[in-house]
């Protein structure tokens, strides 16, 4: 009997009996609490580290440093930080990039669970890459660190291989919950994206881990929503049609964005193939440092820019420029395989696309109603997430929890379904399927 069939048998037997279930849930709760501490501190350091680095950029602009111009210092510091982040990955290749694709590969028996060394590498490498401004998200590292905590807890408590594998994927959901303060989205992520199938045993382990993780996170790091929105109206039937059209347009954009991410990875590998990837990462990092010096509002994970879009602070031209810049900066940042995720940058591209859609329609078409760019930006985030990741339920829940608003449920669902339909009709692969396949081809 091969490994895959043995795993299926283990899962089936576990589903038919409650043997060891209480112990599994206790360990899941303990692992979730650890994720709350690790993921919460990671988030806190990213937020405060990024703010401190932004303050440094302001100082360097006004007076340079050690007699050197500020722009040169920014290039050197960011280049060295990004190079160091990429160097750390050499000690654990499975820590490269988002890490979500590796978690999914473990679920499909295409890879073994990441070793414990991935956790400190992902933690420190993520800080080195994202604090200076790479357009990467904290959710990827947090999800993989959570998965590592899950499997390590399974080892510490002497679980069989089947339950250790279950913990690896189940606890991963608590990582997403902590990264975005979105508990239900974390559960949906495990069901919809990681496992693709669910047993009661896996569901209970995921739920209890998410619960303890989010309680610990909120106890230490607060409970503020990520995106600030006002009172948004659900819209009329004609507006719902407009949301559907937005979803269709974003579905096509999502397919192209996925190709951009893969193109960036291939170009980074193929250009100067004999050059060390660490040296190349330093060069790309230096370029991003230069961008951060002159245009600090273009770099980073994207949360600050999303809130600016949701506050209606950007004109039509500013939205177009930001969309184009982030379309390039996101894949470029991910191309180096430094620790960092895709979710947060995706949300900014989606928000910008949604606001741009509504603003353009209002400018071009005289209609009996005016589209709300803020509402379309919020819906655009869920639609773009769906188009890229192909997980509509997770995307809808994620935006609801991150905004604290439920008034746009129907538009969120409509746009996400349309985005998923168009992306599927265009035969665009979900990004993590593509990254998992590439990981298997380039171990």
């Amino acid at each position: 009997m091969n490994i895959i069939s043995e795993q299926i048998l283990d899962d089936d037997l576990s589903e038919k009996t409650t043997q060891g279930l209480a112990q599994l849930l206790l360990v899941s709760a303990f692992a979730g609490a650890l994720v709350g501490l690790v993921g919460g501190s990671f988030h806190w350091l990213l937020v405060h580290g990024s703010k401190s680095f932004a303050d440094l950029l302001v100082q360097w602009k006004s007076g340079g440093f050690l007699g050197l111009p500020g722009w040169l210092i920014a290039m050197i510091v960011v280049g060295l930080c990004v190079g160091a982040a990429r160097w750390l990955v050499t000690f654990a290749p499975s820590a490269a990039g988002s890490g979500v694709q590796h978690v999914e590969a473990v679920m499909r028996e295409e890879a073994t669970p990441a070793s414990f060394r991935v956790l400190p590498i992902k933690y420190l490498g993520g800080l080195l890459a994202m604090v200076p401004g790479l357009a990467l998200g904290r959710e990827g590292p947090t999800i993989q660190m959570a998965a590592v905590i899950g499997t390590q807890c399974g080892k510490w408590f002497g679980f069989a291989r089947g339950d250790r594998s279950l913990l690896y994927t189940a606890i991963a959901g608590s990582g997403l919950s902590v990264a975005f303060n979105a508990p239900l989205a974390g559960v949906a992520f495990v069901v919809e994206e990681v496992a693709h199938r669910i047993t009661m045993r896996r569901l209970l382990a995921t739920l209890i881990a998410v619960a303890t993780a989010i309680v610990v996170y909120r106890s230490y790091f607060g409970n503020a929503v990520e995106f600030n929105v006002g009172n948004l109206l659900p819209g009329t039937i004609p507006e719902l049609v407009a949301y559907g059209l937005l979803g269709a347009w974003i579905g096509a954009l999502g397919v192209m964005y996925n190709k951009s991410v893969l193109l960036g990875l291939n170009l980074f590998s193929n250009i100067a193939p004999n050059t060390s990837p660490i040296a190349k990462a330093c060069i790309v990092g230096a370029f991003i440092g230069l961008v951060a010096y002159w245009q600090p509002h273009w770099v980073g994970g994207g949360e600050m820019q999303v809130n600016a879009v949701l506050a209606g602070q950007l004109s039509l031209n500013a939205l177009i420029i930001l969309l184009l810049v982030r379309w390039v900066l996101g894949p470029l940042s991910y191309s180096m395989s430094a620790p960092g995720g895709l979710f947060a940058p995706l949300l900014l591209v989606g928000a910008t696309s949604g606001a741009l859609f509504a603003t353009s329609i209002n400018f071009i078409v005289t209609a009996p109603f005016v589209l709300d760019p803020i509402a379309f930006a919020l819906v655009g985030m869920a639609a773009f997430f769906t188009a890229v990741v192909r997980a509509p339920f997770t995307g809808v829940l994620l935006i609801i929890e991150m905004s604290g608003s439920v008034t746009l449920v129907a538009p969120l669902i409509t746009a996400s379904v349309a985005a998923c339909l168009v992306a599927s009709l265009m035969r665009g692969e979900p990004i993590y399927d593509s990254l998992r396949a590439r990981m298997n081809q380039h171990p």
Side-chain angles (χ1 to χ4, degrees), residues 157-299:
F157 289 93
F159 282 3
R161 181 178 56 83
D163 276 346
R164 289 204 307 269
S165 178
L166 183 151
L167 282 170
Y168 189 80
T169 52
I171 308 304
S174 65
L176 178 62
S177 298
V178 166
F180 290 134
N181 192 17
L184 293 178
V187 177
F189 175 74
V190 171
V191 175
E192 189 176 33
E193 178 59 26
V194 177
H196 286 292
R197 61 183 288 269
I198 196 69
T199 64
M200 186 58 68
R201 194 176 184 87
R202 187 182 303 277
L203 179 61
L204 291 176
T206 303
L207 286 169
I208 194 65
V210 165
T212 55
I214 209 69
V215 166
V216 169
Y217 171 82
R218 290 175 177 175
S219 297
Y220 285 93
F221 306 104
N223 189 29
V225 295
E226 190 74 39
F227 302 136
N228 301 308
V229 295
N231 296 320
L232 301 174
L233 299 176
T236 61
I237 294 297
E239 287 175 309
L240 201 62
V241 173
Y243 282 116
L245 293 174
L246 168 68
W249 178 57
I250 284 184
L253 288 181
V255 173
M256 292 187 287
Y257 190 83
N258 285 359
K259 292 181 182 299
S260 298
V261 171
L262 296 174
L263 176 63
L265 286 166
N266 291 332
L267 287 176
F268 186 85
S269 298
N270 296 332
I271 293 177
N274 295 325
T275 302
S276 165
I278 299 169
K280 290 193 282 187
C282 288
I283 294 171
V284 176
F287 169 74
I288 292 177
L290 190 62
V291 175
Y293 180 83
W294 292 112
Q295 299 290 345
H297 58 283
W298 284 356
V299 300

Side-chain angles (χ1 to χ4, degrees), residues 118-135:
V118 167
L119 195 155
I121 289 173
K122 207 77 174 183
Y123 195 104
L124 180 58
L127 292 175
L128 286 170
M130 286 180 273
V131 165
L134 260 63

Side-chain angles (χ1 to χ4, degrees), residues 102-142:
H102 188 270
V103 174
E104 293 187 2
V106 171
M107 177 64 197
R108 290 159 179 76
E109 294 284 343
E110 298 171 1
T112 57
S115 63
F116 181 76
R117 73 169 61 181
V118 167
L119 195 155
I121 289 173
K122 207 77 174 183
Y123 195 104
L124 180 58
L127 292 175
L128 286 170
M130 286 180 273
V131 165
L134 260 63
L136 298 172
R138 62 181 177 269
E139 76 297 322
T142 312

Side-chain angles (χ1 to χ4, degrees), residues 8-31:
I8 293 172
L9 179 60
D10 287 345
D11 284 347
D12 289 343
L13 289 174
S14 297
E15 186 64 12
K16 292 176 182 177
T17 179
T18 58
Q19 181 180 1
L21 180 60
Q23 184 185 13
L24 175 68
L25 296 184
L26 286 173
V27 173
S28 297
F30 174 70

